[in-house]
Amino acid sequence: MKPPRWLALSAIALVSVQLAACSPSATSTPTDKPSTPATDGGGSSEPAKPGGNLTVWVMGDSSAHFDQLVDGFEKETGATVETVAIPWDAVDQKFTTAVASGDGPDLIQIGLSKLRTYADSGALMTLDEATVADYPNLAASNFIDGVAGDATAVEGKVVSMPWVSDTRVLFYRTDILEAAGIKEPPATWDQLRADAKTLAARGDGQYGYYIPQWDSALPVAMTWSQGGDIVADDGTINFDTPAFAKAVDVYTGLYADKSVPTNGDFDQTQGFISGAAPMLVSGPYLAASIKDAAPELDGKWNVTTIPAGTQATSLLAGSNLGVWGGTDNKDGALALLNYLSAPETQVQWFEIDGQLPTAKGALEDAKLTADPLVAVYSKQLQDARLLPLVPNWDGETGKAMLDSLNAIVLTGADRDSTLKALFDATAGTPAR
């Protein structure tokens, strides 16, 4: 799955209804350090110090922004933080090797789609109430609903803290839609399909919409928007539902209409900028890419909440941070995690890297609420859900779903038999 990068927020009036104020100091560190030895999977029997050396694995191609972010922590505590950027396509191998050797970082960024796998490895420290009691920014109430505490606990254990949030919204080119006689962005999937067909009629190489063939979240969000779920009441995966069938109708219908590109390497950013694909569902990170790559498009594009079926539920994604169970600097790792979870720090991260915070206090900050795009992201976050915490979602269940859908639309595979195979292959998979 493509690496998400996140960005921006604003008006948060709606979010503020749900988000309680919570603004501990960004630089607050525990007043009473844990007196127990750092033996939670680590090798040291001596109480760790808040400072010392710390290694953090962040996902992506560069650590420069994160280095800038933790500069304040280093100055405050005397700690030395070494940030290691792990390319997204190397994350799994790097983690597997670390688990096998026991030689991991002190703190690690975890994509939510991989949280279950990481948790099952046993490599992450359990962040129960006793462990985080002296770190006020790590209280579950500090974060947006649906991504903290029990929401992301695995087998009843919390092993990570929310770091950045991501939700999917509809990006659309206002200039191109208006030129095609489309005055408003589509509010439903049926409208989107009709508008996409109109836009695709502009000529060869022109499309109305873009479906990332690698994005397993989109068909799931389409299912949610039809009022259904892919998780049955017994907590197992079940794609054999009327809502998923309607989602498949939308997904395959866009291809049948010839409204979407079929080449798997289509670049969504360039496609949006060029106008070849003037509508797509993506995360706030795309806004940053558009602004960076095509500032001349300012005022010619916008975002809105995703189209609805019976509702407009989108994806709640992003990444968390976990403490390596074998760290020999438990106190330092928890202190850094506390620092990174502070609203002030998360606002700074938004300013530096454009990534959406998870701390309620950060989402209410005027620096974010002043951004009109953020208002849309915030509104969408109120109706957003996590993907099921399925073991190896990207490599198994999510992949099986995408393989089936793409086989139908790209190779002409028989719909009924292909979906039946998907249902049989995934039925009974535990969703937590």
Side-chain angles (χ1 to χ4, degrees), residues 19 61 75 268 303 333 358 409 412:
L19 306 184
D61 299 324
K75 291 177 178 175
Q268 68 170 3
V303 298
T358 52
V409 298

Side-chain angles (χ1 to χ4, degrees), residues 319-343:
S319 62
N320 283 9
L321 293 170
V323 177
W324 195 258
T327 177
D328 59 3
N329 191 355
K330 175 182 176 181
D331 282 3
L334 288 171
L336 177 56
L337 185 58
N338 187 65
Y339 175 86
L340 295 170
S341 301

Side-chain angles (χ1 to χ4, degrees), residues 23-28 135-139 142-143 161 337-339 341-343:
S23 305
S25 166
T27 58
S28 60
Y135 303 88
N137 297 326
L138 303 187
N142 183 49
F143 303 102
M161 289 289 162
L337 185 58
N338 187 65
Y339 175 86
S341 301

Side-chain angles (χ1 to χ4, degrees), residues 218-406:
L218 180 60
V220 179
M222 287 177 169
T223 304
W224 292 334
S225 75
Q226 301 295 340
D229 199 353
I230 65 166
V231 179
D233 291 340
D234 65 358
T236 62
I237 293 295
N238 179 22
F239 288 109
D240 189 6
T241 67
F244 183 72
K246 291 180 180 178
V248 174
D249 289 342
V250 175
Y251 194 97
T252 59
L254 285 161
Y255 281 93
D257 296 339
K258 302 186 185 304
S259 296
V260 294
T262 57
N263 50 319
D265 60 351
F266 187 89
D267 188 304
Q268 68 170 3
T269 303
Q270 290 306 313
F272 188 80
I273 290 172
S274 71
M279 294 193 298
L280 58 88
V281 168
S282 188
Y285 53 90
L286 180 62
S289 297
I290 296 169
K291 289 179 178 179
D292 288 343
E296 70 277 9
L297 289 184
D298 184 36
K300 296 181 179 179
W301 63 276
N302 208 340
V303 298
T304 187
T305 52
I306 69 165
T310 59
Q311 57 197 53
T313 304
S314 188
L315 174 70
L316 174 57
S319 62
N320 283 9
L321 293 170
V323 177
W324 195 258
T327 177
D328 59 3
N329 191 355
K330 175 182 176 181
D331 282 3
L334 288 171
L336 177 56
L337 185 58
N338 187 65
Y339 175 86
L340 295 170
S341 301
E344 295 91 328
T345 305
Q346 296 209 348
V347 170
Q348 185 184 2
W349 188 232
F350 170 79
E351 294 179 305
I352 293 174
D353 205 64
Q355 301 202 44
L356 209 59
T358 52
K360 295 174 181 176
L363 289 165
E364 296 173 328
D365 190 280
K367 293 175 181 175
L368 278 76
T369 58
D371 187 328
L373 297 182
V374 171
V376 176
Y377 305 147
S378 299
K379 182 179 179 180
Q380 188 67 73
L381 278 173
Q382 295 176 78
D383 191 2
R385 299 176 53 180
L386 294 170
L387 285 173
L389 295 178
V390 173
N392 197 15
W393 168 265
D394 289 338
E396 295 181 0
T397 306
K399 182 177 184 299
M401 178 190 63
L402 281 180
D403 287 348
S404 298
L405 295 178
N406 289 331

Side-chain angles (χ1 to χ4, degrees), residues 96-114:
T96 300
T97 301
V99 170
S101 67
D103 186 17
D106 298 290
L107 208 61
I108 182 170
Q109 183 180 359
I110 309 161
L112 286 178
S113 66
K114 300 182 183 301

Side-chain angles (χ1 to χ4, degrees), residues 191-227:
Q191 291 174 3
L192 181 140
R193 189 172 166 184
D195 290 345
K197 197 170 183 178
T198 297
L199 292 164
R202 291 174 296 155
D204 292 342
Q206 301 299 302
Y207 306 96
Y209 184 70
Y210 167 61
I211 292 179
Q213 295 167 11
W214 42 263
D215 185 8
S216 61
L218 180 60
V220 179
M222 287 177 169
T223 304
W224 292 334
S225 75
Q226 301 295 340

